[in-house]
Amino acid sequence: MKIVRAKIFGFGKWVDMEIEFPSEGPFIIFGENESGKSTFHQFILFMLFGMPPKQRKWYQPKTSSKMGGHLVMSDSEIGEFTIERFDHVKNGEATCMTATGEVYGEDWLRERLQGMNKDTFDSIFSFSALDLNGIKDMHEEELSDVLLSIGLTGSSNVYRVEKQLETRLGELFKPNGKNPTINQQLQLLQQLKKELAAIQQEEATYREKTIESQSLKDKLETLKNQQQELEKENKLLTKMRTAFPFLQEYKHLMSKRQAFQKSIDFPIHGVERLEKLKDSLRPLESEYAILRKNEDSYRRNLAEIDDQRLNQELIDELRTKLEQKQVYAKLIDKQQELQEVTAELKREISRELDELHIDLTQEELSEVSLPFYIEETWKQLKEDKERLAQETIRLEAEKRSLIEEEKYNYEQLEEKNAALLPETEITKIKQRLKQGKESIQLEAIYEANTQRKKSYALEKNKKIKQTNLYLITGIVIALLVSVSAIVLEQTFLFGLAAIIFLLSAGQNIFIKQNVKEMERVLNTPLEFESNTTLSEEEVLKLEQQLDDVEQIRNEMKQIQSDIQRQQVKFMQLEERERSLLEKEARLRQQFEEQYTSYPFLKNINSSYWLDYYHRLRKLLATHHEYEQHLRKLNEIGVELNQLEASIIFFVTKLDSDHSISAAIEAFVYIEKRLENEMELKQRQSHYMELMKEIEEKRLEIVERMNVHKREVAELLQAGHAQTEEEFYENAIYVADKAQFEKDVETNQRQLEVIFPDNRWESIIHEQLDELELSERQKELENNQHQNHKEIERTRALLAEVNAELNRLEGSEAYSQKMHQFELEKEKLNQLAKEWAIIKMEKEVLVETKQRYQTKYLSKVLEETTGFFSIITAGRYTTVLSPQGKQPFQVMSHDGVRYRVDELSHGTMNQLYVSLRLAISKVIAENHQLPFILDDAFVHFDELRVKRMMDVLQKIAIEQQMIMFSCKSDVVKACEELGISIFRLTGETETVKNTHFAISE
């Protein structure tokens, strides 16, 4: 495949330039610096492979709106075809037109290039002196690798890629390194593992705290039991101090019991009873009535107490409800703490909303959802909007430019049309010019005929003399041959003499007839009219008028063609406008979709959406935390309400007449009811004791009343008295003993009131001292106080332990740390995957190099040896490939081997050029593309430049060679070898309307 012609409409400094490429031999493009060589080189690459939009901007012409051109290629399979590529058409895509009129696109061109792209083309079919810069500073092994990599791919890119892969592998992982990414990731995972172990240790602490909590609860229960025992003992001591006088009196009475050991059956108050029997009955009856009345009163009081007292099941339930008071107090404290936190979060959310200035309330935040893809969506919308605005501006600029061009073309068309002669006048001029030319031709023929007659007269005499001379010579030769035949007696010589004579005579006759015929033709008279004769100046003037008319017509056709192209461009612009409007409508619809999903975005410029996105994500996280606290607060509120409702319902059910509106009031009410129950119980016990005492007294009075009736008869007998005096003595003794027993009984009843469980009977035998009892009670109260303090301290410790347990139970540190550990672990897996891929790529690259060396390197080195030997004039005869760690070597004509670093800088460059040419030649067997060199011989001397150009001339027989150069040595060598040179001027201004000729 070869380049036939290039036409640049606009590319960098080149505008309206056309270049013809020679069909054979190398094509040298010569020019000084800043003459446009590199720009023309880039134009060829742009036409073949295209160019990204940003890169195309660098080559936009300053004085033309067109950027692009035509490139005519010659292909051995399909013949010539034209590549057309413009920046503003199909975003720089190529349009290909064959000689048969078929039109293809970018894919067809890529197929013709056999999948070749710009980078591959630059690597194989193009190089410059800059490619040698990386080789200058390399050591032996690196230089060998670079040259071998060039042999593999056509450039030093493989070497750089291999080094980049090695560098990236080192950046990712080293067995003993700390800075590589994977090493750092491993260290981070180890640190996270330690932190997880610490958190797991905290979980072990949680179990210890649980055990400690249970131990404290057991201890607290034990202390409470001890406190109850101490309270019981304190109550006992209080009773003992209250009963101390009665106990002393009981002991005193017991000391008198010896005086009343004698038992006499003598009626009590026998004398008085005998005398006052009837008087005694009335007081007894009255006392009996009083006792009955008191007994009835006590029974009513007991009935009232029984009615007021609660059953034991209800009392137990009251105590259970009262125990919930502590739970209620803890819930109240937790509720207050959560209320403070939620209030602070609410203020923070409000501040953030005020700073954002968006139409969004706290209540609406819970409905806002920002999925993971919305950030990319907003970013894309922003870029689409900016891109659409830029396209609109460019479209308007192009439209204005087309309108101006169209207006200019119509003005030019009107001017040309006005300057054009009428058709009738043009017809007259053509007829007059035709007649004038005919008369001039006839005059010329007449003059030429006259001149021919004169010259023919001279020539006629000359020809007659010449033919007579030929006739005489022939006769003489024929006579001589005849004489020789007679002398030699050779008969065939007579025939030869006859042939010579006939030829001489025939030639004489033919020439004379020809002369006569020419005289007849020359003497034929010529006729022409002299009245239509025009002068040469008039003919030139008429021809100039017709040329002007034809030029105007051509210019009008060109203008009309330009107008048609502008109409096509207008249609293309309209199509782009429609496409732009559709894009704008789609973009507007996408914005409306976002406004529908997120109404608060309506008042926000889309360029700030991403900033708002990040702040909203943070705000939503805060709001989520706020809602979580609200849920916890609601849960506590529900629990409090349930507890409060349960307590209030219980109290209301217990006492419907009592109005309760708060749990605190219910707990106070329960405490009062329990206190009232204790008081009622004590009162009931007291009344029961009084009832017992009254019963005893009533029975006693009944007994006494019955006795009085028999007392008179039995009195003396009962008194065991023989005499009245003895009866009185017995009466006195019996009375004293009765008083003693009564005192004992009274004392016992008092003690039984104090000690209902008859505990006094065991206490009475103890040695009691009031001071000792007081000291014992003080000591007991002190023990109670110490025990109470220990209970409070234990409760405080239990509260701390429970608080720590609650903190550990509510902590998410372990799950968060585990989540972070898994994320970092996944990141490590990705890095390891990347390391494995790069490792595999490096191994594949090395294997590919080895395969290439086996398959192609020998052929490349063979071609390299040939080129290198020609360039160095046979000084070096062989190029040897690297073996192991040895670099490239070359062998001189005398058999001495040199390593590449032992060669001079110029020879090293010649070796590199030879290697690149060899690669191109080998690759060109499958890819027939032009080879482009850009100042590749800067370090060559004049002699080697000439040898190099000779090599290029031989290669150009099979492959098109294009070379850009600013060296005069190259021009000189090309002129000597007859190679085509294309010269560029050194002007920096834009080149317009130029068709360059090629010097040979």
Side-chain angles (χ1 to χ4, degrees), residues 86-303:
F86 292 97
D87 174 54
H88 60 279
V89 178
K90 298 180 182 179
N91 195 26
E93 290 189 5
T95 300
C96 302
M97 294 163 286
T98 64
T100 59
E102 296 174 335
V103 179
Y104 300 97
E106 187 80 34
D107 294 337
W108 183 86
L109 176 60
R110 195 177 294 111
E111 182 181 350
R112 299 312 309 164
L113 296 174
Q114 297 183 357
M116 184 78 64
N117 56 29
K118 180 179 179 297
D119 293 336
T120 307
F121 181 85
D122 287 338
S123 299
I124 299 174
F125 297 102
S126 175
F127 75 94
S128 65
L130 295 176
D131 292 336
L132 302 174
N133 293 337
I135 297 176
K136 295 178 183 178
D137 302 324
M138 289 189 178
H139 301 296
E140 298 176 9
E141 294 182 2
E142 294 173 338
L143 183 58
S144 174
D145 288 343
V146 169
L147 291 176
L148 182 58
S149 298
I150 292 169
L152 289 171
T153 63
S155 72
S156 59
N157 290 338
V158 170
Y159 170 76
R160 288 195 293 271
V161 168
E162 188 173 3
K163 292 298 181 184
Q164 288 171 1
L165 291 176
E166 291 178 356
T167 303
R168 183 56 181 160
L169 286 173
E171 291 174 353
L172 285 175
F173 177 72
K174 289 181 179 178
N176 300 319
K178 294 183 178 178
N179 295 327
T181 308
I182 293 179
N183 298 70
Q184 293 180 354
Q185 193 68 16
L186 288 171
Q187 294 174 5
L188 177 60
L189 285 175
Q190 291 176 356
Q191 180 64 28
L192 289 175
K193 192 172 182 181
K194 291 180 181 178
E195 294 177 1
L196 282 172
I199 295 174
Q200 290 174 347
Q201 184 64 33
E202 268 196 10
E203 289 188 345
T205 305
Y206 172 78
R207 291 190 290 272
E208 294 175 359
K209 292 288 183 182
T210 304
I211 297 171
E212 183 181 356
S213 174
Q214 186 61 40
S215 175
L216 289 172
K217 287 179 181 178
D218 296 341
K219 182 180 179 181
L220 184 61
E221 187 65 26
T222 303
L223 290 172
K224 286 181 178 179
N225 294 333
Q226 292 176 358
Q227 188 73 359
Q228 290 177 358
E229 292 297 327
L230 290 172
E231 288 177 355
K232 288 180 181 180
E233 190 175 354
N234 189 24
K235 288 180 181 180
L236 179 61
L237 286 174
T238 302
K239 289 180 180 181
M240 290 175 68
R241 289 185 65 189
T242 303
F244 185 77
F246 302 104
L247 292 171
Q248 291 299 104
E249 183 181 358
Y250 181 80
K251 287 182 179 181
H252 177 68
L253 290 173
M254 290 298 104
S255 67
K256 293 181 179 182
R257 185 181 290 276
Q258 287 298 115
F260 300 102
Q261 291 296 322
K262 183 181 177 181
S263 178
I264 299 174
D265 294 333
F266 189 86
I268 299 174
H269 304 296
V271 176
E272 290 84 357
R273 287 169 61 189
L274 182 61
E275 294 176 351
K276 301 177 182 179
L277 183 60
K278 294 182 180 178
D279 293 335
S280 297
L281 285 173
R282 282 191 289 270
L284 289 173
E285 292 175 352
S286 176
E287 186 179 357
Y288 181 80
I290 291 171
L291 288 174
R292 291 287 296 181
K293 183 178 180 181
N294 289 338
E295 185 180 9
D296 293 338
S297 175
Y298 292 157
R299 288 185 185 280
R300 286 193 300 270
N301 289 337
L302 284 172

